[in-house]
Every structure is written in C-alpha cells, then in structure tokens.
C-alpha cells in the first residue's frame, strides 16, 4: 500500500503538466515537489535526530533571497543563478554550523528558543533592508530566456500541451527536488543516519559508545539547512518572486510541523505523503467545500457549515482526525498493516 501511494505521488508529479494541464494545477505540483524536500529536511532534524528547531524557514528564505537578489541585481543569466545559489548555500551552511556549535549543547527547549529568536531576527532584517530585499513587497525577477514561458521548445504540442519554458522550469524544479529527496533518503539509511537515530533514542548511551553527539547533531543541522536552502531557491525559481510571506513566514514553519506529523516522524516517505496531502488540501479544500455546500442546499445549517470561508476549520478537523487515528503518521499506519 505504501509503495502504491509513493508511486502514485511520483507519477503524478512527473506527469503533472500533461495529466493536470493548467496554471493552478502546475503551481500546486511544483509546490508539492518543493515542500517534500523542505519537510524531509526538517524531518532529518526532528524525526531522526530529535532536534526541535524553529529556524528552518530562515534557511528556506536564504535560498529564495539568494537567487532573487543575485538575478535582480546582476541580470537574468545562468551565471547569476549559479552565483546566487552558491552564496545562499554557503551562508546557510555557515549559519547552521554556528548555530549548531554554539547552541546544540543546551537543552532542547532552550535550543528551540534560540532558533526562534534567530529566525525572527532574520525576518525583521529582510523586511528592513528594503533596498536589497524589496522589504515587505519582496523581489520580482526575470529568468534566463530558456525558462521564460514565451519560449517554445517544440513546434508541435505533446498530449495537447505546449512545451515551453514554463514546462522546462517545472521539470528543472521536479528533477532537482527528486535528486535532493533521494540524497536525504540515502543519508538517513547510511551509518551516519543510524548514529542520528541512536542519538534521538538515547544521547547518553550514544556518547558512551564513543560518538561525539554534538558533532553529529551539528552535521545534521548543516545538512538540513542546505536542503532547506536548496528548496527555497527552487521555490523562488518557480515563482520568479521571493518575499517574507512566501519563504520566511512563521506560518510556513507551522505548516512544516503539520506535514511531518501527518506523514509520520522519522521516515522520509512520510514527508512525501504529508506534504502532498497538506498542499493539495490547502489548495483544493475550498473548491470541494463549495461543491458540498451547493449540494446541501436546503438542509438546515449544513450549507453554512460547509461554506468555503470555513475551510481552515475543516483543515483543522482533518488534522485532528489524522493525529487521533494515525498517531505514528500515515506512513507508520501503513507500515503496521
């Protein structure tokens, strides 16, 4: 069952431009691909290492702003994209290393508060440096000519879809997200990943066996930060925009936590399932409720209860149901069968 679900997600994303033609559906598919990497990178911290961090959206934002600032200031070229990506990844690695070495020696709750303070500082900084970051309005930027929607790659249509620069951008995002997810999957199944699991289960025993737990936790923090920054630059590349609301908002951090819990902590596959379900529900639950409200016309109270404006209420109900019936996440439940 789990293999079937994962295969359906993979094929759905791989064939999204042809199976679900349209701007909105392609936006949802690209967001699912990006958030699978983002949630998987956070699960490396929370599910595999037992680290509670609230600075993950900061690294997500660094990736987005790195690409956005470089392209906006230096022009729409591949060299600008490469420079922005390199600087964003380098800054993310340095910050994660500094946070890890200076903060991971303290208890979990204090480390979480430190990361929250650092993330809040970075969000304020991005809003205040309007000359560089665009402030609250963010940055719009152009992409190289090959990735522009008006660029036609093929003269004839494929399955009724025009293959243009937008489709190429989607497959660039999808291919990079798939490669990053497989890399994270390989990391957690390596000896390094087994050490992280031992630290999560009993840090004292792992230390007694000779493992420098602070070093391993710092390394996990750096790997997760790099993956989150990569997800941020992919998301900015797709949107051709970066701003505080799309990458740095604390609401995104809450969404990431929900996706990890829904999919199942301590499993990379749970990240894929949780991110897919949450993003699809977030984008299409209002439409389903509109249909349900219309179908229930004439029934007392029900149309008002199912009104599309109450979609957040029902999203919360769905989350409570998932936590109640799937305490180990959807993947944990499927594996138990």
């Amino acid at each position: 069952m789990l293999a079937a679900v994962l295969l359906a997600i993979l094929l759905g994303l791989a064939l999204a431009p042809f199976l679900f033609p349209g701007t909105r559906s392609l936006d949802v598919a690209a967001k699912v691909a990006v958030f699978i990497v983002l949630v998987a990178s956070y699960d490396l911290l929370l599910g595999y290492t037992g680290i509670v961090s609230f600075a993950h959206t900061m690294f997500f934002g660094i990736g987005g702003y790195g690409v956005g600032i470089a392209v906006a200031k230096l022009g729409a070229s591949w060299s600008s994209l490469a420079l922005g990506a390199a600087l964003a990844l380098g800054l993310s690695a340095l910050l994660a290393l500094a946070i890890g070495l200076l903060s991971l020696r303290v208890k979990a709750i204090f480390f979480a508060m430190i990361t929250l303070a650092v993330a809040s500082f970075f969000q304020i900084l991005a809003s205040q440096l309007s000359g560089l970051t665009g402030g609250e309005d963010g940055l719009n930027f152009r992409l190289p000519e090959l990735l522009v929607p008006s660029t036609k790659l093929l003269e004839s249509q494929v399955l009724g879809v025009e293959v243009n620069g937008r489709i190429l951008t989607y497959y660039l995002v999808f291919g990079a997200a798939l490669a990053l997810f497989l890399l994270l999957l390989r990391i957690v199944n390596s000896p390094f990943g087994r050490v992280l699991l031992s630290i999560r289960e009993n840090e004292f025993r792992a230390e007694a066996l000779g493992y420098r737990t602070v070093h391993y936790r710092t390394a996990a923090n750096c790997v997760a930060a790099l993956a989150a920054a990569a997800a941020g630059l992919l998301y900015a590349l797709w949107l051709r925009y970066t701003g505080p609301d799309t990458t740095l908002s604390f609401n995104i951090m809450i969404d990431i936590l929900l996706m990890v819990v829904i999919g199942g902590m301590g499993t990379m596959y749970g990240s894929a399932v949780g991110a897919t379900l949450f993003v699809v529900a977030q984008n299409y639950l209002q439409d389903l409720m509109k249909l349900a409200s219309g179908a229930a016309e004439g029934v007392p109270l029900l149309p008002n209860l199912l009104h599309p404006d109450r979609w957040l209420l029902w999203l919360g109900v769905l989350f409570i149901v998932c936590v109640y019936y799937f305490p180990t996440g959807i993947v944990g439940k499927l594996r138990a069968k």
Side-chain angles (χ1 to χ4, degrees):
M1 181 67 73
L2 177 59
V5 170
L6 294 172
L7 184 61
I9 293 172
L10 177 61
L11 292 177
L13 292 177
L15 302 175
F18 307 105
L19 291 177
F20 315 106
T23 303
R24 184 185 179 189
S25 57
L26 202 59
D27 283 338
V28 172
K31 187 175 181 180
V32 167
V34 169
F35 270 75
I36 285 175
V37 175
L38 184 61
V39 175
S41 64
Y42 189 71
D43 196 34
L44 178 66
L45 288 180
L46 182 62
Y48 283 87
T49 319
I51 298 173
V52 180
S53 171
F54 292 117
H56 216 58
T57 50
M58 178 184 73
F59 300 115
F60 188 53
I62 288 173
Y65 274 105
V67 169
I69 292 172
V71 177
K73 302 298 181 184
L74 302 177
S77 65
W78 292 102
S79 58
S80 299
L81 282 175
L83 178 62
L87 290 175
L89 293 174
L91 178 59
S92 297
L94 287 174
L95 279 174
L97 181 64
I99 292 172
L101 291 177
L102 296 176
S103 307
L104 280 174
R105 297 177 186 274
V106 301
K107 292 186 180 295
I109 185 63
F110 298 110
F111 175 76
M113 292 299 101
I114 291 171
T115 56
L116 179 61
V118 173
S120 300
F121 169 76
F122 191 85
Q123 186 175 7
I124 294 170
L125 191 66
S127 299
Q128 295 298 320
L129 297 177
S130 55
L132 184 65
T133 64
E136 295 290 341
D137 296 328
L139 284 174
N140 289 293
F141 55 89
R142 291 179 55 83
L143 295 177
E145 194 66 29
L146 189 61
L147 303 179
V148 174
S150 59
T151 301
K152 286 188 177 181
L153 301 178
L154 295 176
E155 291 297 328
S156 58
Q157 294 184 342
V158 178
L159 299 177
V161 177
E162 183 179 296
V163 181
N164 54 21
R166 191 62 169 166
I167 301 295
L168 180 60
T169 306
Y170 173 78
Y171 278 109
L172 178 63
V173 171
F174 169 71
L178 179 60
L180 286 167
F181 179 78
L182 292 176
L183 179 61
L184 289 170
L185 189 62
R186 179 68 188 91
I187 288 172
V188 298
N189 288 314
S190 68
F192 174 76
R194 301 304 178 195
V195 175
L196 295 183
L197 286 173
S198 69
I199 293 173
R200 182 196 69 185
E201 295 299 326
N202 195 314
E203 185 177 353
F204 178 76
R205 287 186 180 179
E207 190 85 41
L209 289 172
Y211 295 108
R212 299 294 298 274
T213 56
V214 172
H215 293 172
Y216 278 92
R217 285 155 63 92
T218 302
N221 197 42
C222 291
V223 171
L226 286 171
L233 66 90
L234 289 176
Y235 199 42
L237 190 68
W238 174 252
L239 295 177
R240 290 170 290 172
Y241 166 82
T242 186
D245 292 335
T246 58
T247 53
L248 293 173
S249 172
F250 191 70
N251 290 332
I252 299 175
M253 189 69 244
I254 296 173
D255 291 346
I256 294 170
L257 284 168
L258 293 177
M259 293 177 207
V260 169
V261 173
I262 290 170
M265 287 192 294
T267 164
M268 286 289 138
Y269 298 132
S271 306
V273 175
T276 302
L277 285 177
F278 190 88
V279 173
V280 170
Q282 201 175 42
N283 285 273
Y284 290 110
L285 187 58
Q286 276 184 296
D287 294 339
L288 290 174
M289 289 181 64
K290 185 176 181 180
L291 292 174
S293 180
E297 197 69 40
V299 180
L301 296 178
L302 199 56
N304 289 330
L305 194 60
L306 296 175
H307 195 277
D309 290 344
R310 294 179 172 81
W311 72 277
L312 274 175
L313 168 66
W314 287 104
L315 189 65
V317 170
L318 288 175
F319 173 67
I320 293 170
V321 169
C322 282
V323 172
Y324 185 79
Y325 287 102
F326 308 105
T328 57
I330 294 174
V331 170
K333 186 73 171 181
L334 291 176
R335 281 180 168 173
K337 289 185 177 182

